[in-house]
Amino acid sequence: MEVEQRSKKDDDLNGSKSNEGEEEISVERIFEASHEIPPPWQKQLTFRALIVSFILAILFTFVVMKLNLTTGIIPSLNISAGLLGFFFVKSWTKILNKAGFLKQPFTRQENTVIQTCVVASSGIAFSGGFGSYLFGMSDIVAKQSAEANTPMNIKNPHLGWMIGFLFVVSFLGLFSVVPLRKIMIVDFKLTYPSGTATAHLINSFHTPQGAKLAKKQVRALGKFFSFSFLWGFFQWFFTSGDDCGFANFPTFGLKAYENKFYFDFSATYVGVGMICPYLINVSLLIGSILSWGVMWPLIGAQKGKWYSADLSSSSLHGLQGYKVFIAIAMILGDGLYNFIKVLGRTVFGLYKQFKNKDVLPVNDRSSPATVTISYDDKRRTELFLKDRIPSWFAVTGYVVMAIVSIITVPHIFHQLKWYHILTMYIIAPVLAFCNAYGCGLTDWSLASTYGKLAIFTIGAWAGAANGGVLAGLAACGVMMNIVSTASDLMQDFKTGYMTLASPRSMFLSQAIGTAMGCVISPCVFWLFYKAFPDFGQTGTAYPAPYALVYRNMSILGVEGFSALPKHCLMLCYIFFAAAVIVNGVRDAVGPKWARFIPLPMAMAIPFYIGGYFTIDMCVGSLILFIWRKLNKPKADAYSSAVASGLICGEGIWTLPSSILALAGVKPPICMKFLSTAANLKVDSLLNAS
């Protein structure tokens, strides 16, 4: 979750580099030569596109939900969405064409609509807070925290209020930045690397040579999807009890296993490791070694001195408190640094734009300024400005949705008052603009950082006596949804600009995808929640680690540092400062040397979760590294498809495994790994009986 944008940046930039030559040749002249006429916006939103989007939205929601509830690391799935959308509709049209019923050919504009809809829908699984602020309200998470676990600060998940809450807060971000689309895309010419790379990909699919490669990529994705799904199914047979199965294999010995160092045979995280840049995977590994290999054993040796020896392993007044709060300190230090950096770049970029008058007067023919614009940009700008979305529509939509939300949300969360929400909605358009502009410059969305700011400000404003912990978490949801959807929509406008898709079809597909996500994501979460009895508990298959982190942030904002164990605050200050300094050094030395300096945000994730998934991700990196050494062109062409297959196959296995759990069907075998001494005890016990 926290490193999602950094993973996305590297992945998408690699994609854009591979297509630079195509853009130099003039993409639009190639499509013009093939007699392409972009269909009107109504025909870009086809029935088949929405059906395919709905199917893929369910698939990707399961994948994102699993990642969210295990480690919170979510790689970019844009390429997978575009590729699978192309495959499904291309197959559909091929069958209809053979039967003589094909009325409309499959266009890149329709492909863009599918990709936008799918990513918007599955994005709700992240911004909806099912692995963070929303589940952090539950009594399951509250019991793991010794503070603020009164009924006033607890709200258990239920389908009704979750769907209602998402519907009233998820659409405001769409309306908040619509009037700025021309300024951001045409005038300022912001890059939006993710949107640009996705457009390159979709454009390449719809050229003859690109279509052949896409078919091969889909075939590779299908093979590894099948392998990953069947591997998940095979592993299930050996997991009938706690700590059973391949996922608990003590790869490096039992002592390392106790300290969360082992390879858990997860195809999902091997795939994630292939997509994430090497630096993130190495940073995760360094973080896990520093925490579980050095710090926690040393602090654990102070048991009885720094904290009571009688505390349970899950108590935040004991060792667990150091794990959670030091991780929070690093996350906040990294988030604050990047917030200030991106905000500074945003302000400086705007200052330069207006000082140098570097704003293209696209519609002002009388302007004396002479600007050289390529044929592609002329063609794209002409069509981008053709289907306008009226500003009055955006303003009216924002005001109406804000009024509905101000009335509705306090009925869902009594601790959050109408004036809290009104204040956020007055400030939100400015923050949404900053996030969308910063994302256009750096490809980093700071949605979770804005959410944390809401936790501290609104939580403290509400006060401990009035359920400030729950109010802070709910405010985080309101703010995250606005700024996240705003930057996502602007990314989609950039993709639409480069594929000649109408802004109207982009806006509507984003809105439809958001509506789908508001229903699909809570339903998928509810399936996990009901299917697994130990859901949300530390050390289980789905621990939802960020839920406890977000809840404790809210407790800190409301109650201060009284909950911290001995010396924990000092260590938090040290790691907060270290995160800021390391980021500063990375920026100071430049890209050449920064790639050898770890990312503090990535290092913080295993502090609380453990190092097991970092081994999987490093295995993924190693596979990709060797593949590139042996055959770089083939690795660059197929690695994303292979990784997506590994991620999606095991991810979709969670659907049948959840249904089996709900039906009371248990695996037949428990495969455990014991020490010699423990095995002798078990043997003697069995022989005695």
Side-chain angles (χ1 to χ4, degrees):
M1 180 174 65
E2 302 294 341
V3 295
E4 180 191 17
Q5 290 299 327
R6 300 186 189 197
S7 306
K8 184 182 290 186
K9 183 178 181 183
D10 184 85
D11 178 41
D12 292 331
L13 285 176
N14 287 340
S16 63
K17 284 176 186 175
S18 65
N19 290 286
E20 279 173 4
E22 182 183 341
E23 282 297 298
E24 289 169 6
I25 295 169
S26 176
V27 170
E28 299 312 326
R29 289 195 187 278
I30 293 172
F31 282 105
E32 208 170 67
S34 64
H35 308 292
E36 183 208 56
I37 300 173
W41 69 268
Q42 297 93 333
K43 290 189 176 181
Q44 295 173 21
L45 283 161
T46 61
F47 175 73
R48 68 190 178 197
L50 297 180
I51 292 293
V52 169
S53 297
F54 180 72
I55 294 167
L56 291 178
I58 295 172
L59 167 66
F60 282 101
T61 298
F62 269 97
V63 172
V64 173
M65 194 67 72
K66 180 184 176 177
L67 296 171
N68 221 354
L69 296 172
T70 48
T71 64
I73 299 175
I74 305 167
S76 169
L77 297 173
N78 293 30
I79 288 177
S80 308
L83 188 61
L84 286 172
F86 174 82
F87 167 70
F88 276 112
V89 180
K90 203 71 176 174
S91 302
W92 184 328
T93 55
K94 194 174 182 180
I95 293 167
L96 289 178
N97 191 36
K98 285 183 178 179
F101 295 114
L102 184 63
K103 294 181 179 179
Q104 182 179 337
F106 181 40
T107 64
R108 55 182 172 144
Q109 291 79 25
E110 192 177 354
N111 204 159
T112 306
V113 163
I114 294 170
Q115 186 271 336
T116 298
C117 195
V118 172
V119 173
S121 181
S122 59
I124 298 292
F126 163 66
S127 62
F130 299 100
S132 54
Y133 66 84
L134 189 142
F135 186 51
M137 302 174 184
S138 68
D139 60 350
I140 294 173
V141 178
K143 286 174 185 175
Q144 298 174 52
S145 177
E147 308 292 328
N149 51 10
T150 58
M152 185 176 282
N153 284 310
I154 293 172
K155 190 172 184 68
N156 284 314
H158 191 275
L159 267 181
W161 73 256
M162 287 192 298
I163 293 172
F165 172 70
L166 289 175
F167 262 107
V168 296
V169 301
S170 295
F171 291 91
L172 280 103
L174 302 182
F175 292 107
S176 64
V177 292
V178 164
L180 303 173
R181 66 183 180 87
K182 176 183 173 291
I183 295 171
M184 299 281 215
I185 306 298
V186 178
D187 296 345
F188 290 170
K189 291 189 175 297
L190 295 177
T191 311
Y192 288 102
S194 290
T196 299
T198 305
H200 282 309
L201 187 79
I202 291 171
N203 283 336
S204 71
F205 286 166
H206 293 267
T207 59
Q209 187 179 358
K212 288 179 184 177
L213 178 60
K215 286 178 184 176
K216 292 178 181 177
Q217 288 173 327
V218 168
R219 210 171 291 130
L221 191 151
K223 284 179 185 176
F224 283 89
F225 177 95
S226 302
F227 165 76
S228 180
F229 182 88
L230 292 172
W231 175 239
F233 178 45
F234 175 73
Q235 286 189 87
W236 175 81
F237 282 96
F238 302 92
T239 57
S240 68
D242 293 336
D243 301 325
C244 295
F246 287 93
N248 295 283
F249 179 71
T251 321
F252 308 112
L254 289 167
K255 191 66 179 175
Y257 175 79
E258 287 174 13
N259 285 291
K260 306 266 187 185
F261 277 100
Y262 56 93
F263 177 63
D264 72 348
F265 293 90
S266 170
T268 296
Y269 281 103
V270 171
V272 172
M274 291 179 72
I275 288 179
C276 287
Y278 297 136
L279 181 60
I280 283 183
N281 296 335
V282 172
S283 299
L284 289 165
L285 184 61
I286 292 170
S288 61
I289 292 170
L290 176 63
S291 55
W292 291 88
V294 180
M295 288 176 58
W296 306 155
L298 289 175
I299 294 174
Q302 302 301 317
K303 189 174 184 179
K305 298 177 183 177
W306 286 17
Y307 57 93
S308 173
D310 301 324
L311 294 170
S312 69
S313 60
S314 62
S315 173
L316 288 175
H317 290 290
L319 182 59
Q320 185 79 340
Y322 295 94
K323 295 175 183 177
V324 171
F325 290 113
I326 291 174
I328 289 173
M330 288 187 73
I331 290 168
L332 290 177
D334 187 284
L336 180 65
Y337 179 89
N338 283 298
F339 171 73
I340 293 170
K341 182 177 80 172
V342 174
L343 187 64
R345 285 187 182 179
T346 301
V347 172
F348 183 68
L350 287 170
Y351 170 75
K352 279 181 67 178
Q353 294 274 8
F354 288 111
K355 183 183 178 184
N356 301 330
K357 297 182 180 178
D358 188 19
V359 179
L360 296 177
V362 175
N363 288 335
D364 185 4
R365 295 182 181 179
S366 63
S367 172
T370 303
V371 182
T372 303
I373 305 176
S374 68
Y375 175 79
D376 282 1
D377 282 339
K378 285 179 183 175
R379 177 84 172 130
R380 290 165 177 172
T381 302
E382 177 191 344
L383 288 172
F384 189 71
L385 299 176
K386 181 182 174 185
D387 290 329
R388 292 181 175 276
I389 302 172
S391 295
W392 65 263
F393 171 77
V395 173
T396 304
Y398 187 87
V399 171
V400 169
M401 288 303 301
I403 292 170
V404 171
S405 184
I406 289 167
I407 295 169
T408 308
V409 172
H411 288 285
I412 300 172
F413 304 107
H414 301 296
Q415 299 83 348
L416 198 61
K417 304 303 180 185
W418 66 268
Y419 45 85
H420 296 148
I421 304 166
L422 176 62
T423 304
M424 283 191 286
Y425 286 161
I426 292 170
I427 299 168
V430 177
L431 299 182
F433 167 77
C434 290
N435 195 46
Y437 189 93
C439 192
L441 291 173
T442 65
D443 209 32
W444 289 352
S445 171
L446 297 175
S448 58
T449 305
Y450 289 108
K452 288 165 196 150
L453 289 174
I455 286 178
F456 289 115
T457 53
I458 302 298
W461 185 4
N466 301 311
V469 172
L470 196 68
L473 291 169
C476 174
V478 173
M479 189 59 73
M480 263 185 75
N481 277 284
I482 293 173
V483 296
S484 178
T485 51
S487 61
D488 289 348
L489 178 63
M490 206 54 72
Q491 290 271 19
D492 291 331
F493 277 147
K494 182 69 175 184
T495 305
Y497 171 80
M498 296 184 67
T499 57
L500 303 191
S502 167
R504 291 186 182 181
S505 66
M506 288 289 91
F507 178 82
L508 284 173
S509 62
Q510 180 88 15
I512 292 166
T514 301
M516 286 181 185
C518 290
V519 177
I520 294 171
S521 290
C523 290
V524 170
F525 172 78
W526 192 249
L527 186 62
F528 279 87
Y529 183 67
K530 288 294 183 183
F532 302 101
D534 56 1
F535 182 81
Q537 301 288 342
T538 303
T540 60
Y542 300 105
Y546 274 104
L548 184 60
V549 168
Y550 271 67
R551 184 173 185 87
N552 282 291
M553 283 184 192
S554 193
I555 292 170
L556 277 178
V558 173
E559 298 187 358
F561 300 113
S562 59
L564 300 181
K566 191 177 181 182
H567 300 304
C568 187
L569 183 59
M570 180 189 69
L571 289 169
C572 287
Y573 284 145
I574 291 169
F575 278 89
F576 179 93
V580 174
I581 292 167
V582 169
N583 273 305
V585 171
R586 281 176 49 80
D587 286 336
V589 298
K592 182 180 177 181
W593 297 105
R595 60 199 178 101
F596 299 110
I597 302 173
L599 295 163
M601 182 72 80
M603 288 178 65
I605 294 170
F607 270 54
Y608 169 57
I609 302 169
Y612 59 93
F613 72 95
T614 67
I615 307 296
D616 302 339
M617 292 178 68
C618 286
V619 167
S621 273
L622 182 63
I623 291 169
L624 182 62
F625 179 79
I626 294 170
W627 193 2
R628 280 179 171 163
K629 286 293 181 185
L630 295 174
N631 191 335
K632 192 174 188 302
K634 196 169 184 179
D636 290 342
Y638 293 101
S639 59
S640 292
V642 169
S644 299
L646 291 173
I647 294 168
C648 295
E650 198 173 61
I652 204 65
W653 163 248
T654 57
L655 174 58
S657 68
S658 301
I659 293 169
L660 288 170
L662 285 171
V665 179
K666 291 187 177 180
I669 304 167
C670 174
M671 182 173 69
K672 272 195 174 181
F673 303 93
L674 305 172
S675 65
T676 303
N679 188 57
L680 288 172
K681 288 179 182 178
V682 171
D683 283 346
S684 62
L685 185 65
L686 291 173
N687 291 331
S689 61

